[in-house]
Amino acid sequence: MGWNKDGSAIKAEYCGTTFSGVVLESRVKYGGTVQYRVRAFEPFYVDSLKAVRETVLVDEDDVLVDFGVLVYD
């Protein structure tokens, strides 16, 4: 799969917390690395930040699994 994962369901790590969500936007950062804006399927608590997050930015190295675009009929 390519770098553009818009609409893909992924499992990723954010500040030491693993979560699943859908990629809202993909972008290439200055320097050539890829970053994704991801909306979690369910809000999750990030212990290191002592906060709940629903939408986060993750780098391509933090993506653990790409499930692709899920289609529900």
Side-chain angles (χ1 to χ4, degrees), residues 59-70:
D59 290 334
E60 61 186 332
D61 294 340
D62 296 324
V63 175
L64 305 173
V65 181
D66 179 0
F67 299 105
V69 177
L70 302 179

Side-chain angles (χ1 to χ4, degrees), residues 25-29 33-37 57-60:
E25 179 182 33
S26 304
R27 76 180 191 103
V28 178
K29 296 179 1 179
T33 60
V34 179
Q35 185 178 62
Y36 304 107
R37 186 166 59 99
L57 296 173
V58 296
D59 290 334
E60 61 186 332

Side-chain angles (χ1 to χ4, degrees), residues 36-65:
Y36 304 107
R37 186 166 59 99
V38 182
R39 185 181 66 229
F41 291 132
E42 295 181 6
F44 61 98
Y45 182 75
V46 181
D47 193 43
S48 62
L49 301 176
K50 306 290 189 234
V52 175
R53 294 290 189 249
E54 187 173 342
T55 303
V56 296
L57 296 173
V58 296
D59 290 334
E60 61 186 332
D61 294 340
D62 296 324
V63 175
L64 305 173
V65 181

Side-chain angles (χ1 to χ4, degrees), residues 1-6 8 26 34 36 60 66:
M1 299 188 115
W3 66 271
N4 188 340
K5 296 187 185 316
D6 292 2
S8 291
S26 304
V34 179
Y36 304 107
E60 61 186 332
D66 179 0

Side-chain angles (χ1 to χ4, degrees), residues 5-36:
K5 296 187 185 316
D6 292 2
S8 291
I10 64 168
K11 184 177 196 177
E13 186 173 314
Y14 177 77
C15 294
T17 303
T18 302
F19 74 99
S20 296
V22 64
V23 176
L24 301 175
E25 179 182 33
S26 304
R27 76 180 191 103
V28 178
K29 296 179 1 179
Y30 182 76
T33 60
V34 179
Q35 185 178 62
Y36 304 107

